[in-house]
Every structure is written in structure tokens, then in C-alpha cells.
Amino acid sequence: MCVATLLDIAEKAGVAKSTVSRALREDPTLSITEETKEKIFSVAEELQYKMKQEKKLKRCRNIAIVHKDTHFMNQIDNAFYFSIRSAVEETCYQKNIGFTFVPYSFLDSFDRQIDGALVVGNFDRKEVDTICAAVRTGCMVFVGKVNYYPDRMDWISYSIKDCVYKAMGHLAAMGLKDIAYLGGYDSEDTPEEFSKFSYFKKFMAEQKQLHFAGSMVGEHGVESGYQMMKRWLSEKKAVPDAFFVSNDPIAIGVIKALNEEGISVPDSVSVISINGDSSGEFSFPALTTVDVHTDAMGREAVEILEERIEGKRKLVKKVEYQVTLVTRGSVGKMK
């Protein structure tokens, strides 16, 4: 007697093999009708399909991933979060963990029972309190810049200081001395030790050969970077040796505006930023940036949340990845 396979069930039930696999594992993210689900199980029983012992159905862990409403509306402006999301999804599938992405504004209607939660993004303290009350679980991992409750919430992050100092150190090593700052707004309650602009000013003060060429802040995103650069030029501000930009999407907008104005990057001015987003590879020239390793952050977030859920440790954990300079074409040596 031949042993039935997932493909046998799929062909007889008239669905994809992957649908059969997810249905038999009772993947909560699978969207099929009850009729289709019943048909799959009926065919599996008819064919006497037996799951391997290590894959037999067991209670699936379920987690929520809370994020800001705008995080997944634009892949260029939010490449940082899309990278984390992709890593979270893949790791959850590998571990047979059910997951639901929950925009912040939908928390009021979120009533699903979960085993743990990931909080992704830079929320203020009041918003974090709202999230904690809504998800109703003690197993939580924060992925982002400012964790207001590091004594009870695991934390996946990177060093803001290391990012700024690595980027600024590269500019200094290239002989660039006249440097300006362009960045996105911080929330009002962001502590100084998590402010990129604060570390920028500290680095400039420590390196006496450098000259502060001014600053400008605005909203986050490519369009904001584009408009800031246009405003900088329309106000007849001098073009410095380099712009240090707080993140990749803003920097991509900055480069676009400079290109339109016929100001060559990096021959006339260099541009460097932070994130390591894949979209930076496709700006012209390609963006030199500091990579914070978002893919690794997303995978680690699921790993340590699973540890919390399964009670494998009692101590709260912080994982901080060492950032890496990615040299591309937007920074050149001082002539």
C-alpha cells in the first residue's frame, strides 16, 4: 500500500500543496473557507494520511505584532520595517507560530487570545502603555530605538551612538570637514541618548577640525528629504562638503533633489545616512549608509519571544547588534 502524500491530498481536494500543509497544521494566518478546510481533512482521513511524528499537530503559539499604521503603506519610506516584517514572518512559519500584524489604531478592536507580542517601532510612552493594556500578555519584546520598560520587556535594538559615530568617522576619514545635518523629527519624549542629532553635535564638538554647516529637520520619508533639500537650496544656504542624514529614505530624497539641481553627488557634496535599507542600493549614486541589520533583528525578536513564552529564562534580555558601514557611491574624498 502506497503512503499518501500532501500532493495526493492536494490533487484530490483541488487545492495547492502548500494550502494542505498549512491547513493540517492549522495555521491561523491561512485564509480558506470552512468548507475547503473540512474537505482537506476529509480527504486526508480517506487517504489515511499520517503526519510524521515531529510534524504532528500541536497547539500553535499565537503572537501579535503591533506596529504604527503607516509602517506598511510605502516600501521605500518604510524599508526598515518591511525588512523586519519579512524576517518575522519567515521565522514564525519555520517555527509554526501563528501571527497577526495589528496596526496601532486597531488595538481597540483587537480581542484575540495570544501567547506573546512584538512591539515594532518608535512609540511614545503613552502609546506603549496603550499597547500593553490591549494585548494583555506579560510576554513582550520591543523592537526599536526607545524601550520605556527595559526591566520587563525584552529589547532588540542597535546603538544610535555607534551609528552616528561610524558614519561621521567615515566622513572625517575622507577629509570632509564642512558637514550639515538633515533629519526627521524625534517624538517629544525621546531621551537625549537616543537622539541622532545629539550625537552628531557631540561628534562635531570632539573633532575640532570639523565645521557645523547647519541643520534642518522635517517629517520622515523620501518626499520630506526631497523638500528639505529643495528648501535648503532655495534659501541660498551654502552647499557643505557633506550632509549627514538621519535615515535612508530621507537621504534618497536629498539625493534626488541634488540631482535635479545639477549638484553632483559625490563630486560636489557627499551624502551619508543610517539604516542599511535595500532601497539605498538603487539611488543614483548608490547611498553610503550604516546598516543596523533589520533582518537579524526581526529573526531574533521571534526567537527571544518564544523563549519568554516557553519560560526558558527569567531574566529580561537586551540584544544590540553591532552596526556596519556600507560604502557605496554617495561619499567621495575631499578634493
Side-chain angles (χ1 to χ4, degrees):
M1 180 179 177
C2 295
V3 178
T5 66
L6 291 176
L7 183 59
D8 295 331
I9 300 171
E11 291 176 347
K12 193 171 181 65
V15 297
K17 178 182 174 182
S18 60
T19 301
V20 173
S21 175
R22 292 172 65 187
L24 294 178
R25 289 187 288 108
E26 295 197 356
D27 182 347
T29 66
L30 176 63
S31 179
I32 57 174
T33 65
E34 281 300 318
E35 181 181 1
T36 300
K37 185 176 179 180
E38 289 177 8
K39 186 174 183 180
I40 291 171
F41 276 90
S42 176
V43 171
E45 184 176 355
E46 176 188 338
L47 297 180
Q48 297 183 328
Y49 175 76
K50 295 185 181 297
M51 298 178 73
K52 293 181 180 179
Q53 184 65 35
E54 65 270 19
K55 294 185 178 179
K56 282 186 178 179
L57 183 63
K58 62 179 181 180
R59 190 177 82 82
C60 181
R61 301 291 192 185
N62 288 295
I63 66 172
I65 303 98
V66 183
H67 58 87
K68 290 191 173 181
D69 294 13
T70 57
H71 277 172
F72 304 116
M73 294 175 65
N74 180 311
Q75 289 198 25
I76 297 179
D77 286 345
N78 295 289
F80 179 97
Y81 295 106
F82 273 95
S83 177
I84 291 175
R85 176 174 184 147
S86 176
V88 167
E89 288 180 333
E90 185 175 340
T91 308
C92 283
Y93 281 129
Q94 290 170 347
K95 292 179 168 293
N96 192 30
I97 296 174
F99 58 91
T100 305
F101 283 86
V102 186
Y104 180 80
S105 65
F106 284 75
L107 283 172
D108 287 345
S109 58
F110 182 73
D111 59 359
R112 186 168 186 168
Q113 185 175 357
I114 57 173
D115 299 292
L118 300 180
V119 181
V120 181
N122 297 313
F123 296 95
D124 60 35
R125 186 186 296 271
K126 185 177 179 181
E127 289 171 330
V128 173
D129 290 340
T130 299
I131 293 168
C132 291
V135 298
R136 302 185 301 277
T137 176
C139 297
M140 298 183 70
V141 176
F142 174 75
V143 186
K145 188 165 65 173
V146 186
N147 182 1
Y148 293 101
Y149 301 107
D151 57 331
R152 57 186 173 90
M153 192 183 297
D154 288 332
W155 190 2
I156 309 294
S157 191
Y158 56 92
S159 169
I160 301 297
K161 180 180 179 180
D162 285 354
C163 286
V164 175
Y165 273 52
K166 193 171 285 290
M168 292 294 291
H170 182 58
L171 296 181
M174 299 295 279
L176 304 168
K177 299 179 180 180
D178 200 32
I179 305 173
Y181 177 92
L182 296 178
Y185 294 119
D186 285 324
S187 60
E188 291 183 1
D189 61 350
T190 299
E192 186 174 336
E193 63 265 31
F194 296 104
S195 166
K196 294 172 185 175
F197 188 41
S198 176
Y199 285 118
F200 170 85
K201 290 185 291 184
K202 287 180 180 179
F203 187 93
M204 295 290 289
E206 293 168 5
Q207 302 294 320
K208 302 302 182 183
Q209 81 278 16
L210 302 182
H211 172 253
F212 175 53
S215 65
M216 190 175 287
V217 295
E219 299 298 332
H220 293 268
V222 174
E223 179 62 22
S224 178
Y226 176 82
Q227 294 299 337
M228 275 193 280
M229 192 69 259
K230 286 286 191 178
R231 190 164 76 250
W232 182 283
L233 297 173
S234 70
E235 294 176 0
K236 307 300 181 182
K237 293 179 182 288
V239 176
D241 295 337
F243 285 104
F244 171 85
V245 188
S246 65
N247 63 45
D248 287 4
I250 296 176
I252 291 170
V254 167
I255 291 175
K256 178 184 177 184
L258 288 167
N259 285 337
E260 284 187 0
E261 296 294 330
I263 300 172
S264 175
V265 179
D267 293 336
S268 298
V269 60
S270 291
V271 179
I272 196 167
S273 67
I274 294 171
N275 268 22
D277 296 341
S278 58
S279 51
E281 297 178 37
F282 304 104
S283 66
F284 182 77
L287 181 62
T288 294
T289 184
V290 176
D291 190 355
V292 301
H293 306 298
T294 47
D295 182 83
M297 289 169 64
R299 295 179 188 280
E300 185 67 19
V302 178
E303 294 282 354
I304 69 173
L305 182 58
E306 185 179 48
E307 289 178 3
R308 281 186 79 93
I309 292 171
E310 296 183 356
K312 292 182 177 179
R313 60 180 165 81
K314 295 181 179 179
L315 296 176
V316 180
K317 177 186 287 189
K318 178 181 180 183
V319 177
E320 183 175 283
Y321 282 94
Q322 182 62 43
V323 300
T324 305
L325 178 69
V326 181
T327 55
R328 297 186 182 125
S330 66
V331 173
K333 285 187 178 182
M334 184 67 181
K335 294 181 179 180

